[in-house]
Amino acid sequence: MSETPETLQLQLRDSVLPNHLPDVEWLLRYLDDGCPSGPPLFLSLGESWPPLHPDLSRLLSQAPDYGHGYQLSMYGLPALRRELRDLVVRTHGLPAGAGDFEVAVTWSGTRSTMFDFGRLLLDRRRKSVRPPVLLCTAPGWDFAGVFEPLGYRVEYVPLDAGRHFAPDLEAWREAVASIEASSDEPPSLIALNAQHNPTALNWGAEVVRGVLRLAVSRHIPVLLDDAHFGVHDPACVPTSSLAILLEELGEAGGASESPLWLAVRSLGKQFRCNGWGLGAITSSPETLDELVNTYRVQHQYNYAGHLQYAMAKWLPRESCEAHLREQNDLIARNRRLVGGLLVSDLGYPPESFSPGECTSFTLFPVPPVYSERPEGTKCFLEETFFKTGVLLSDAWPRPRNSRQSFSLGYARIFIGGSPDDLATAFGRMAEAGIGFDMPSRLGP
Ligand SMILES: Cc1ncc(COP(=O)(O)O)c(C=O)c1O
């Protein structure tokens, strides 16, 4: 069993309510009740607080004194910036010397950089009485949480559960056309997440190219969210939306014609250190300079030099590469394990779900007895948790309090942690009577 129960106590016990998420309310209630179904299995958020790799930990303890003070470059510690540039060039297959992009470090997660990019786009937008529109997928990551507070209206391209959430270029074309028809202007931003959270699908190059060609031809700014680019089953070759975008921009001609764009890539997912907040941000050299030296500096200096130092030293090491391979092997095994247990222990028809091939998540439909009722997914998640201690999330998770209804009828499970925890979780669910054909709800 993982350390999660103790870690949860440490993270949640306070004299204030730690946050407003329903998950937290449920967890505190369950912990207060003395964990009646065993220690909570925290498979919702995508975090299991694993120990840091010993090499990375050693390098962190060797951080030089300058790492503890303010850093001077808004592009990030130069040693890390150069390593990240190499990583982006190598793993996305980009031409090394190309002058049409540059890479910087983010040390406060990629979410904050997206927010800054949203502000930059607003300042560049021509005057309009209409709110800017962000177009992204449903289900999808919480782009709304970043862009709505800036005044963006969010429109969604639906991913069809009947097609196991495979992206459909025609649906993107229709969404863009419908926004243009209703507002006389194209969307202000398209967000693309080709290693897709939560559906775990690696989008094919054809559909990614189609969406990006559409964006470039209409001058629509683009946000490429490559948070999970490094997290995929060994047999999966992640589609590089960044490489495709650069090709499309090259085809379209001069830089003055190009829409603004930003690609973000988190290091937290692949190296299991989400709390370090490190990532790569890539854009045209001009946009990147404006982003880091005008927008980023408005609310943060360059911090966390010690983390940047350790990561810069670790990235080129063989142990780093090996760790990534082991991590991806583990996730692939866990994905197979969960698929097998859904069928063998919970009676799911194999064709009722698609395990996917990337990210540390997989989806499965909630049993029909739940999905047929209003708020059925929420009810399934809540009753499963209080009867088994297994905390899953909605396929459309929200890392903040929102009135979003749980309506897709799918649950998401984190598979980046221990296989024992997953086996225990499915054992508890089967014992409680959860299954595809369960005749009635578990009840409160
Ligand atoms: C699709 C997606 N984008 C962005 C992020 C933010 O990642 P980070 O905080 O590591 O920058 C996440 C985190 O879960 C994610 O899943």
Side-chain angles (χ1 to χ4, degrees):
M1 188 72 57
S2 63
E3 307 293 322
T4 308
E6 291 73 29
T7 308
L8 285 172
Q9 296 275 8
L10 289 170
Q11 301 238 4
L12 297 177
R13 290 276 175 225
D14 203 349
S15 53
V16 290
L17 183 64
N19 67 44
H20 296 179
L21 292 175
D23 290 25
V24 164
E25 186 199 313
W26 294 358
L27 280 164
L28 286 172
R29 226 163 81 204
Y30 188 80
L31 293 169
D32 283 345
D33 286 350
C35 304
S37 303
L41 293 167
F42 187 58
L43 303 173
S44 53
L45 179 67
E47 182 58 87
S48 56
W49 301 288
L52 205 53
H53 190 284
D55 283 1
L56 189 53
S57 185
R58 204 168 310 114
L59 289 165
L60 182 58
S61 70
Q62 292 165 5
D65 290 343
Y66 69 74
H68 304 292
Y70 284 140
Q71 305 299 296
L72 296 181
S73 168
M74 284 307 290
Y75 284 85
L77 186 69
L80 179 58
R81 195 198 75 77
R82 289 193 298 267
E83 286 298 338
L84 283 183
R85 193 180 198 284
D86 285 354
L87 178 88
V88 168
V89 164
R90 180 166 46 81
T91 54
H92 291 260
L94 309 181
D100 43 8
F101 66 89
E102 197 44 270
V103 178
V105 182
T106 173
W107 49 90
S108 54
T110 54
R111 196 172 165 94
S112 69
T113 309
M114 294 182 199
F115 191 77
D116 288 335
F117 184 56
R119 297 194 298 128
L120 181 151
L121 292 179
L122 290 182
D123 289 346
R124 294 281 195 94
R125 187 171 181 243
R126 66 178 165 78
K127 286 227 170 322
S128 169
V129 287
R130 300 180 191 280
V133 175
L134 160 69
L135 188 59
C136 55
T137 64
W141 186 70
D142 181 37
F143 294 106
V146 178
F147 289 93
E148 278 178 354
L150 287 171
Y152 287 73
R153 189 162 60 78
V154 182
E155 293 277 336
Y156 293 101
V157 181
L159 297 172
D160 183 0
R163 293 164 31 102
H164 287 306
F165 301 108
D168 175 9
L169 181 54
E170 208 34 56
W172 280 90
R173 289 202 180 108
E174 279 168 20
V176 170
S178 143
I179 292 165
E180 285 176 340
S182 64
S183 63
D184 284 336
E185 51 185 283
S188 307
L189 178 61
I190 280 181
L192 216 60
N193 172 219
Q195 286 70 44
H196 193 260
N197 177 6
T199 63
L201 293 189
N202 177 42
W203 288 15
E206 214 168 291
V207 73
V208 169
R209 188 177 297 283
V211 176
L212 292 176
R213 192 167 283 172
L214 186 66
V216 171
S217 69
R218 287 185 159 56
H219 251 78
I220 303 170
V222 173
L223 169 64
L224 303 178
D225 180 5
D226 293 337
H228 299 269
F229 188 82
V231 183
H232 54 84
D233 294 2
C236 164
V237 179
T239 299
S240 171
S241 37
L242 175 56
I244 294 174
L245 177 66
L246 289 171
E247 281 166 20
E248 290 299 317
L249 291 173
E251 294 273 309
S256 59
E257 301 294 314
S258 300
L260 294 169
W261 62 276
L262 175 73
V264 300
R265 179 162 166 190
S266 162
L267 296 182
K269 317 282 166 242
Q270 68 190 84
F271 298 123
R272 311 297 309 277
C273 53
N274 283 315
W276 284 29
L278 295 181
I281 54 180
T282 305
S283 188
S284 70
E286 302 73 31
T287 306
L288 193 66
D289 193 61
E290 193 177 354
L291 189 67
V292 302
N293 278 311
T294 302
Y295 290 86
R296 305 286 287 151
V297 81
Q298 284 167 356
H299 60 92
Q300 59 173 293
Y301 294 135
N302 186 344
Y303 307 119
H306 55 310
L307 304 177
Q308 297 185 54
Y309 167 88
M311 188 58 82
K313 291 279 177 200
W314 196 48
L315 280 176
R317 297 207 171 179
E318 168 51 28
S319 69
C320 171
E321 198 67 38
H323 176 66
L324 192 52
R325 275 197 304 274
E326 280 163 25
Q327 194 56 41
N328 281 342
D329 283 347
L330 172 77
I331 292 172
R333 280 201 307 280
N334 282 345
R335 200 185 300 284
R336 285 195 296 276
L337 176 70
V338 167
L341 291 169
L342 278 167
V343 175
S344 64
D345 289 22
L346 303 192
Y348 272 71
E351 65 283 1
S352 65
F353 62 94
S354 168
E357 64 221 318
C358 59
T359 78
S360 42
F361 299 109
T362 191
L363 291 187
F364 62 91
V366 306
V369 69
Y370 282 96
S371 54
E372 282 154 7
R373 44 176 287 140
E375 298 265 293
T377 310
K378 178 171 184 285
C379 185
F380 172 74
L381 298 173
E382 186 168 4
E383 292 181 2
T384 298
F385 179 56
F386 284 103
K387 293 284 181 194
T388 68
V390 177
L391 189 58
L392 306 169
S393 71
D394 189 82
W396 200 344
R398 291 279 160 133
R400 63 201 160 90
N401 204 19
S402 93
R403 293 191 178 279
Q404 172 74 34
S405 76
F406 297 75
S407 58
L408 286 170
Y410 279 74
R412 189 188 74 167
I413 181 165
F414 172 60
I415 55 171
S418 124
D420 290 348
D421 281 0
L422 290 172
T424 307
F426 276 86
R428 286 193 205 167
M429 288 197 281
E431 202 174 317
I434 295 171
F436 190 78
D437 282 331
M438 61 198 290
S440 56
R441 284 172 43 194
L442 293 176

